[in-house]
Amino acid sequence: MSNSQPIGIFDSGVGGTSIWKEIHGLLPNEKTIYLADSKNAPYGEKPIEEIKSLSRKNTEKLLDMGAKIIVVACNTATTNAIKDLRNEYAIPFIGIEPAIKPAALNTKTKTIGILATRGTLTSTLFSQTSDFYARNINVVEVEGRGLVELIEAGELDSPQMRSLLLKLLEPFLVNKIDYLVLGCSHYPYLIPILEELLSKDVVIIDSGEAVARQTKSILNKNNLLRTDTTYQKPIPEFISNTDPKVLENLTEAVQNGYKVSYLDF
Ligand code: DGL
């Protein structure tokens, strides 16, 4: 394994680019390949076995492309499949999980909200984390059903998105949460509209920055941080198995000179 090999990142679709941005920001000398399995989005409503087999398929594609580490930029895939991936493949995996811990530690109202997919909220890993950190806290859980589909269609702030969010956010408003944990990598794209629709006192947390820090630390521990920085910075690559237009827009690929392509995987 050479440290000049790429960091592979996958998600059920375009949402994990919110995590990619943090990774690229922290590790600009690393080559990154992002795989958007938009054809199979959303994962959040699928049976566990299917989430596992899609995660294996994405992993193998990234391994074929030479990945030295894989970031599972999807809470649903992490909470349901990362254990198996770590058992089955020899390279390191970084996962993303809802940031319950900082919310539970800092809440003043002792009531926090979590917005995530059904797949994440019903996973064993999530309930273990929630039991561990938020035992004495009221955790208001809301399934963000329908949000991923709209984001995949590029609708970050459409009338449909607003009316869906007004409905989904109601339990958070009624219960007066002071922290909202975003438990899906698609949702950071909704932060501007969430800030507008929720009370000003609600702090919104996502896990992107923590995932980037963890990626750096694990690369470092395994002597896999890219050292040949004398060359031109590598061009990030984004691959989608549907029309890559939304992926291109969210990453501002044209302006930044990133490579975006379609591949049937
Ligand atoms: N972006 C994903 C997550 O973090 C998956 C959403 C979905 O495909 O349902 O959970």
Side-chain angles (χ1 to χ4, degrees):
M1 182 78 71
S2 132
N3 63 20
S4 59
Q5 286 174 236
I7 298 177
I9 303 166
F10 78 79
D11 179 35
S12 61
V14 298
T17 54
S18 65
I19 313 301
W20 170 83
K21 282 179 187 167
E22 300 288 348
I23 294 171
H24 182 63
L26 188 67
L27 299 165
N29 292 317
E30 294 289 337
K31 164 91 186 164
T32 48
I33 300 182
Y34 180 95
L35 219 54
D37 189 14
S38 294
K39 190 168 74 182
N40 294 299
Y43 283 7
E45 304 290 317
K46 295 192 190 305
I48 297 181
E49 280 315 313
E50 197 176 344
I51 298 170
K52 285 183 180 175
S53 101
L54 290 168
S55 301
R56 284 189 195 102
K57 168 188 68 96
N58 299 332
T59 296
E60 279 170 25
K61 194 48 91 203
L62 287 169
L63 289 176
D64 287 349
M65 294 172 173
K68 62 182 174 183
I69 188 169
I70 291 182
V71 179
V72 182
C74 173
N75 292 258
T76 312
T78 299
T79 50
N80 290 285
I82 204 164
K83 210 167 141 209
D84 289 43
L85 296 178
R86 285 183 173 136
N87 285 335
E88 292 166 24
Y89 300 94
I91 61 161
F93 284 87
I94 307 294
I96 178 166
E97 282 182 66
I100 287 256
K101 184 181 169 185
L105 288 177
N106 293 307
T107 174
K108 294 194 176 58
T109 61
K110 300 288 169 221
T111 306
I112 64 173
I114 163 139
L115 187 61
T117 67
R118 181 155 60 102
T120 294
L121 293 173
T122 56
S123 67
T124 313
L125 193 57
F126 174 74
S127 51
Q128 282 168 348
T129 314
S130 184
D131 287 349
F132 191 79
Y133 292 111
R135 221 165 326 160
N136 304 314
I137 306 276
N138 177 23
V139 182
V140 182
E141 296 178 6
V142 171
E143 270 178 36
R145 193 179 291 229
L147 294 176
V148 166
E149 288 89 332
L150 287 175
I151 296 167
E152 285 291 314
E155 291 193 31
L156 305 187
D157 190 354
S158 63
Q160 288 100 308
M161 178 58 91
R162 280 184 177 255
S163 74
L164 177 58
L165 276 175
L166 279 173
K167 215 167 54 207
L168 292 175
L169 298 181
E170 210 184 305
F172 298 142
L173 296 166
V174 170
N175 286 284
K176 297 198 174 18
I177 61 160
D178 62 352
Y179 276 80
L180 174 63
V181 178
L182 300 184
C184 170
S185 58
H186 281 68
Y187 301 165
Y189 284 111
L190 302 177
I191 289 176
I193 178 168
L194 288 171
E195 283 177 342
E196 196 190 308
L197 298 176
L198 288 166
S199 141
K200 293 278 161 288
D201 304 327
V202 176
V203 181
I204 300 173
I205 2 189
D206 69 89
S207 321
E209 223 183 291
V211 170
R213 279 199 308 270
Q214 177 71 354
T215 306
K216 184 175 180 184
S217 146
I218 297 298
L219 284 175
N220 194 20
K221 239 185 236 162
N222 289 278
N223 283 322
L224 285 174
L225 276 174
R226 186 169 177 263
T227 45
D228 49 343
T229 53
T230 47
Y231 298 106
Q232 256 192 340
K233 289 213 190 315
I235 295 171
E237 263 187 65
F238 299 88
I239 298 164
S240 171
N241 52 14
T242 62
D243 179 356
K245 197 76 211 143
V246 176
L247 191 56
E248 197 171 273
N249 290 342
L250 288 179
T251 54
E252 299 180 336
V254 175
Q255 302 87 308
N256 290 310
Y258 302 154
K259 193 176 161 204
V260 181
S261 51
Y262 165 82
L263 182 75
D264 187 19
F265 64 89

